[in-house]
Amino acid sequence: MSHFDQLVPPYVRALGTYMPGKSLQQAQEESGVPCIKLASNENPFGPSPLALEAMRAALVEGNFYPDDNSAALRAALAAKHGLQPEQILVTPGSTGLLNLAARTMLTPGLNAVTSRVSFIQYQVVTRATGATLIETPLRDNGFDLDAILQAINADTRLVFLANPNNPTGTLLDAATLDRFLDRVPQHVAIVIDEAYYEFAQYFADQRGVEYSHSLDYVRQRRNVLVLRTFSKAHGLAGLRIGYGMGPTELIAYCVALHVTFSVSSVAQSAALAALRDEAHIGKTLRNNAEGTQWLTEQLSKMGFRPVPSWANFVYCDVGEDSVAVVKRLQDEGVIIRPLKPWGAPTAIRVSAGTHEENRRFLAAFQKVMPQ
């Protein structure tokens, strides 16, 4: 008879199971039709050609353990961002850094603060430490920073800010974050999750908005940890590689907790090459800007009110159970994300794909939604 319910800590037993977006294979087996996937904010063009070449070359040395320090990649990132390598840690996706930050800063009795309807992993990494996650209400589909400041107390150690926010796609501009950081107590570290940085910066340049001072905060040695990833704009989601930038002391504590050899040689080589492929990134960003605008316009024409996006997806309240809507779309061969687990039971998130994929989504959506 199992007795692990008495051996496993109660805060671990209370954790739910994260439900990732369905794979193409699973969705096609369930629906019996060929599918496209617009559920997980992946790059529809795949990895950079330079990254593919680097991956093939790295496979030859697959019998060797990877560089546990990711020295070459950290040096390249430091040069790109004007930082020291000691201020950077490479992890298996930016979620790897979230986990390390929580394990470094949180214990039972402490808490972290974020917003409702934000990245679901903030809940997971916080509660896995036995700490409490305080979630404040949204304001205009984005973070209410005044509410977050009011929620901070003597037991708060972390604040999670997704910028742009996933899944709503909203943005906190640089001046707004500057004012917020000036009011945060010194016993709190701010995790600024910029997984969609490249998309947001492209939009900011187009729209005349100053997006981010995050790297300035790192250079100023403020209590800030900035997260970025190669999963989105660089198209390396399947390789699991991201990084964080922050105070040398905090990075060193995270290094002490990281899992040895957790970032493969293939991933490191691909990321190094992807950094150099400006043509691939440019193509991705232009396609995304056109795609998110088109999706927003078409959903608006149908009478919905999608939220203007600063990322590579569109958030929209469809006015009914999103799980049922997503099931009907899957039967038509289109996979998108229902946001019920995020606390938005009637909202969906659709990733911007190629022109053809976006049009296939719209045709399916018009078919399954009552007019």
Side-chain angles (χ1 to χ4, degrees), residues 96-156:
L97 225 311
L98 284 174
N99 182 55
L100 288 174
R103 291 173 59 205
T104 300
M105 298 289 293
L106 300 174
T107 62
L110 299 178
N111 69 70
V113 181
T114 191
S115 173
R116 296 174 190 165
V117 196
S118 192
F119 188 33
I120 204 165
Q121 282 295 313
Y122 303 152
Q123 301 176 23
V124 176
V125 299
T126 299
R127 292 169 181 162
T129 69
T132 301
L133 184 68
I134 300 171
E135 296 176 286
T136 62
L138 291 174
R139 182 171 64 188
D140 298 328
N141 295 301
F143 283 90
D144 184 339
L145 296 183
D146 290 331
I148 286 177
L149 283 168
Q150 292 174 8
I152 292 172
N153 58 40
D155 296 324
T156 305

Side-chain angles (χ1 to χ4, degrees), residues 42 45 60 130 134 168 187 209 243 251 293 309 320 332 356:
E42 295 146 334
F45 299 128
V60 176
I134 300 171
T168 62
H187 68 275
V209 173
Y243 59 103
I251 292 293
Q293 180 179 349
S309 180
E320 63 172 285
E332 297 298 322
E356 295 75 17

Side-chain angles (χ1 to χ4, degrees), residues 18 66-70 73-74 77 88-101 103 119 121 125 193 195 227-232 236-244 254-255 257-268 271:
Y18 174 67
D67 176 5
D68 193 43
N69 294 317
S70 303
L73 180 56
R74 286 170 59 230
L77 290 168
I88 300 172
L89 177 58
V90 176
T91 56
S94 58
T95 51
L97 225 311
L98 284 174
N99 182 55
L100 288 174
R103 291 173 59 205
F119 188 33
Q121 282 295 313
V125 299
D193 186 348
L227 273 54
R228 295 191 184 170
T229 184
F230 290 93
S231 294
K232 307 303 180 185
L236 301 181
L239 297 187
R240 308 309 304 127
I241 184 162
Y243 59 103
C254 290
V255 168
L257 287 173
H258 93 290
V259 176
T260 306
F261 303 133
S262 57
V263 181
S264 74
S265 300
V266 174
Q268 293 180 43

Side-chain angles (χ1 to χ4, degrees), residues 162-210:
N163 195 35
N165 185 38
N166 175 19
T168 62
T170 50
L171 189 86
L172 297 166
D173 65 31
T176 299
L177 263 184
D178 287 348
R179 292 190 294 269
F180 173 75
L181 285 179
D182 288 341
R183 299 169 63 192
V184 174
Q186 283 299 303
H187 68 275
V188 178
I190 310 299
V191 177
I192 304 177
D193 186 348
E194 293 185 340
Y196 300 92
Y197 171 83
E198 292 83 2
F199 302 108
Q201 187 59 62
Y202 186 87
F203 282 127
D205 291 340
Q206 284 190 322
R207 298 167 183 174
V209 173
E210 190 173 15

